[in-house]
Amino acid sequence: MAGPSFKFGQHVLQASCVFFKSRLSIGFVNRKPVVPGHVLVSPLRVVERFGELSSEEVADLFMATQTISGVVEKHFQGTSLTIAIQDGPEAGQTVKHVHVHILPRRSGDFPQNDDVYEALAKHDKEMGEDPRWRTEEEMAEEASVLAKYFNCQVDSS
């Protein structure tokens, strides 16, 4: 893997998958989205639990989430949003780095509206009907489209 990268918990995230960067946070596409447009927002600093973030990081993370969510909802033609944080293993957190899930929603996208939470809990596990993970190229393509909304030139510094 060439080019700049970011640490995302126990993973390395290529800069080509990042479409938004603020002073303390990044927005990036999901390797296995629950719905089209399911993206993530994370602090740049690797912090496992939400309570470990500084006040400044919390403010930046939620300002970034608000900014990104409006664009994602409009771009993916959603009519609502699910915004979620899984904070700790019992809450379903599998990546040891705070991150916010943004999912653009539409009427009827799940049989029962709250089924989204079960799908979110299972989406990054290697089971289910579609165990396929997106390639870096597929992710970079989506990130490139979203980055245009933010005039985002991402480097890992």
Side-chain angles (χ1 to χ4, degrees):
M1 292 184 200
S5 61
F6 297 89
K7 191 117 169 71
F8 178 51
Q10 62 270 39
H11 304 286
V12 174
L13 176 67
Q14 296 304 306
S16 62
C17 299
V18 175
F19 60 85
F20 176 91
K21 185 176 180 213
S22 65
R23 194 168 70 78
L24 300 174
S25 303
I26 56 172
F28 52 100
V29 298
N30 198 319
R31 200 160 169 220
K32 192 171 181 191
V34 170
V35 295
H38 175 187
V39 300
L40 304 171
V41 186
S42 183
L44 286 166
R45 183 170 70 97
V46 178
V47 175
E48 187 171 340
R49 299 291 305 275
F50 184 77
E52 298 170 24
L53 293 171
S54 70
S55 297
E56 190 176 17
E57 287 170 317
V58 169
D60 190 84
L61 180 67
F62 278 95
M63 290 300 296
T65 297
Q66 183 180 45
T67 299
I68 292 166
S69 65
V71 167
V72 166
E73 183 177 13
K74 193 173 287 185
H75 180 80
F76 289 96
Q77 300 168 343
T79 54
S80 298
L81 294 164
T82 293
I83 298 173
I85 297 175
Q86 296 164 299
D87 190 33
E90 289 75 26
Q93 182 182 18
T94 57
V95 177
K96 295 179 179 187
H97 191 154
V98 173
H99 55 287
V100 179
H101 293 263
I102 302 174
L103 296 88
R105 301 291 306 278
R106 295 186 192 141
S107 179
D109 55 3
F110 288 90
Q112 297 292 317
N113 195 39
D114 283 350
D115 289 350
V116 68
Y117 299 109
E118 183 176 344
L120 190 58
K122 293 179 178 179
H123 86 285
D124 58 355
K125 312 293 187 296
E126 297 259 9
M127 61 173 134
E129 294 175 20
D130 181 16
R132 186 171 103 62
W133 296 76
R134 295 199 300 176
T135 65
E136 187 178 323
E137 291 77 23
E138 290 170 316
M139 293 168 62
E141 185 177 325
E142 183 176 290
S144 175
V145 170
L146 292 173
K148 292 175 184 171
Y149 289 99
F150 305 105
N151 297 319
C152 183
Q153 300 290 321
V154 176
D155 64 39
S156 59
S157 57

